[in-house]
Amino acid sequence: MRTFYGTELPNPLMLGTAQYPSPAILEQAFRDSGAGVATVSLRREGGAGQTFWQMIEDLGVLILPNTAGCHTVKEAVTTAHMAREVFDTKWIKLELIGHTDSLQPDVFQLVEAARILTEDGFQVFPYTTDDLIVGERLLEAGCEVLMPWGAPIGSGRGLNNEYALRAMRAEFPDVPLVVDAGIGLPSHAAHAMELGYDAVLLNTAVARAGEPQVMAKAMALAVEAGRLAHEADPIEARDMAEASTPVIGKAFLS
């Protein structure tokens, strides 16, 4: 399994902590999913109090703070520094939103912020588009992980551009890649792993499901199935049928 800044994840599922009906359901969803990483927004959860933070710590998973809601380099850098103090970690999921409706990253500011944070000792997980040039610039800025979107945050549309995601996997074979955002169904998560991605990050699909705990378990099974399928080297799709039963030894009627 791929390592992320030298850390091997116990499970390739990363799960967000927002929008759950209750803290108890959030906790149970994590238990049922076996997720190895919890993403936490300092800005959105800042008023949750010590009880919330203690519950997150008690989950026993790796914490990936994020800069959700930031729209400028200054906002993102300041939020990252606050998160490092609160969570005592170098990890930061860098979100820098440029478009209000699609929540598409502002890739120009993203690269700038990634460079600043990397130089300051952060280990940056950038939420980015599936653009190869942007990916290259983020790696040049010091990132060792790329997190391209599958679809807009919370949309549940799955993998909008499979071609681009395949191209990114091929272009950066040695870089840990995570499909982040847009996952709505277990089949979407499995597909991402079948493409050779190293992990998936999702939140809304579990938190807003009618039964979050059940969906959390479904996502865990899907991620594992997709990972195994990729390792099994699956057959390629064909336009024509190919008989699975040999004709040698077939009886002929005269």
Side-chain angles (χ1 to χ4, degrees):
M1 190 176 292
R2 193 90 63 168
T3 61
F4 295 78
Y5 291 103
T7 299
E8 184 173 313
L9 303 186
N11 184 314
L13 179 61
M14 301 179 177
L15 196 57
T17 57
Q19 305 185 61
Y20 289 83
S22 71
I25 291 177
L26 185 159
E27 182 177 7
Q28 191 58 50
F30 267 86
R31 304 292 184 198
D32 291 344
S33 72
V37 174
T39 61
V40 180
S41 169
L42 185 67
R43 290 167 63 99
R44 290 178 181 162
E45 309 296 350
Q50 188 60 38
T51 301
F52 175 82
W53 302 128
Q54 188 61 53
M55 180 191 66
I56 296 299
E57 290 183 3
D58 290 345
L59 290 173
V61 299
L62 296 165
I63 303 299
L64 178 60
N66 68 47
T67 62
C70 292
H71 293 265
T72 68
V73 172
K74 184 177 181 180
E75 271 189 302
V77 170
T78 300
T79 301
H81 278 88
M82 293 171 63
R84 182 164 63 181
E85 293 299 317
V86 171
F87 296 105
D88 191 27
T89 179
K90 295 180 180 179
W91 280 16
I92 190 72
K93 179 190 171 186
L94 182 58
E95 286 187 37
L96 223 163
I97 301 303
H99 191 264
T100 303
D101 292 334
S102 67
L103 300 182
Q104 179 169 326
D106 182 331
V107 296
F108 303 100
Q109 293 197 91
L110 183 68
V111 172
E112 182 182 351
R115 181 174 290 107
I116 292 171
L117 291 173
T118 299
E119 291 175 353
D120 198 29
F122 284 88
Q123 296 174 334
V124 180
F125 292 67
Y127 166 60
T128 183
T129 63
D130 48 27
D131 186 283
L132 296 180
I133 305 304
V134 174
E136 186 66 43
R137 296 294 181 268
L138 287 167
L139 295 176
E140 291 172 356
C143 298
E144 297 180 15
V145 176
L146 296 175
M147 303 179 75
W149 65 348
I153 294 172
S155 67
R157 296 182 59 85
L159 309 185
N160 270 357
N161 193 339
E162 181 182 332
Y163 170 82
L165 292 173
R166 285 185 181 275
M168 183 165 275
R169 179 72 283 175
E171 182 71 14
F172 307 117
D174 300 320
V175 176
L177 298 181
V178 182
V179 170
D180 177 13
I183 300 294
L185 294 170
S187 57
H188 299 157
H191 193 187
M193 298 299 292
E194 289 167 2
L195 295 180
Y197 277 70
D198 302 292
V200 297
L201 194 159
L202 55 93
N203 188 163
T204 307
V206 169
R208 299 292 294 275
E211 296 288 343
Q213 306 97 312
V214 177
M215 184 60 79
K217 186 173 183 179
M219 289 294 184
L221 293 171
V223 167
E224 179 65 9
R227 183 185 67 80
L228 291 173
H230 176 72
E231 293 177 354
D233 190 18
I235 64 172
E236 294 186 6
R238 295 168 52 90
D239 290 330
M240 301 295 291
E242 180 180 5
S244 58
T245 303
V247 296
I248 297 176
K250 176 182 177 181
F252 290 91
L253 300 177
S254 58

